[in-house]
């Protein structure tokens, strides 16, 4: 029965990878959208020194914005990133941060769990059939080789 469980695992894994493509595409678009919004809000701060490194002000460049969005997605961020000489822009950046974290972390994780669950159910239905078909093919190859 171990082989049947392994077949279920492999089928589930491949089905999840197939089903998650659309989710990853949408997630990439959302991340790019928020990265560009943070870049436009926080990139032009006249009172901030140009000597500040990328770690202190990551949204000053497009590549820094993209990397910071990825870091925010995995929970690695600092609130100092959202400081600006204009209090309006600073509060807008914090509001945007809250919207991003809610959208990506809460809603997308729930969608991801639903996709994985559905993929597993689909694989569970197909696992026995594919396992037996593969076993039949192996028996046929063994018979043809005279083993």
């Amino acid at each position: 029965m171990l082989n049947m469980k392994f077949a279920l695992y492999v089928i589930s894994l491949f089905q999840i990878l197939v089903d998650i493509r659309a989710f990853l595409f949408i997630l990439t678009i959302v991340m790019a959208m928020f990265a560009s919004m943070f870049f436009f809000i926080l990139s032009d701060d006249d009172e901030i020194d140009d000597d500040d490194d990328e770690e202190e002000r990551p949204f000053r460049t497009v590549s820094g914005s993209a990397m910071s969005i990825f870091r925010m997605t995995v929970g690695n961020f600092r609130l100092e990133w959202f400081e600006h000489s204009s209090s309006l822009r600073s509060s807008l950046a914090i509001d945007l941060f809250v919207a991003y974290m809610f959208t990506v972390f809460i809603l997308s994780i729930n969608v991801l769990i639903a996709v994985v669950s559905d993929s597993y159910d689909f694989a569970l239905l197909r696992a026995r059939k594919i396992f037996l078909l593969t076993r039949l093919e192996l028996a046929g190859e063994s018979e043809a080789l005279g083993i």
Side-chain angles (χ1 to χ4, degrees):
M1 229 39 211
L2 179 65
N3 293 335
M4 180 66 177
K5 290 180 181 178
F6 183 70
L8 175 62
Y9 173 74
V10 171
I11 293 168
S12 297
L13 189 62
F14 282 119
Q15 189 63 40
I16 288 168
L17 291 176
V18 167
D19 291 344
I20 210 165
R21 289 182 306 181
F23 168 76
L24 290 176
F25 180 71
I26 298 295
L27 182 63
T28 303
I29 290 173
V30 168
M31 288 173 68
M33 178 184 70
F34 274 97
S36 63
M37 285 190 283
F38 278 116
F39 173 73
F40 288 127
I41 291 172
L42 298 172
S43 64
D44 61 340
D45 196 353
D46 297 332
E47 294 183 18
I48 302 297
D49 295 342
D50 285 339
D51 296 336
D52 286 344
D53 63 355
E54 188 76 18
E55 184 67 29
E56 292 179 20
R57 304 284 176 223
F59 295 108
R60 290 190 327 183
T61 64
V62 175
S63 62
S65 295
M67 182 55 89
S68 298
I69 285 292
F70 175 75
R71 288 177 62 185
M72 286 169 44
T73 303
V74 296
N76 184 9
F77 61 90
R78 295 185 357 205
L79 288 177
E80 293 84 31
W81 291 355
F82 310 109
E83 293 176 356
H84 194 275
S85 59
S86 167
S87 62
L88 177 65
R89 284 188 178 201
S90 185
S91 63
L92 181 61
I94 291 173
D95 292 343
L96 191 61
F97 167 73
V98 170
Y100 176 76
M101 292 305 284
F102 180 77
T103 301
V104 171
F105 188 71
I106 302 296
L107 298 177
S108 295
I109 295 301
N110 287 333
V111 169
L112 184 63
I113 290 170
V115 166
V116 169
S117 177
D118 289 346
S119 297
Y120 179 77
D121 288 341
F122 180 74
L124 192 59
L125 294 173
R126 294 186 53 213
R128 179 133 177 96
K129 178 183 172 185
I130 291 177
F131 172 70
L132 292 175
L133 181 64
T134 305
R135 196 172 230 182
L136 182 62
E137 288 175 357
L138 181 61
E141 288 175 5
S142 298
E143 182 68 30
L145 293 174
I147 298 176

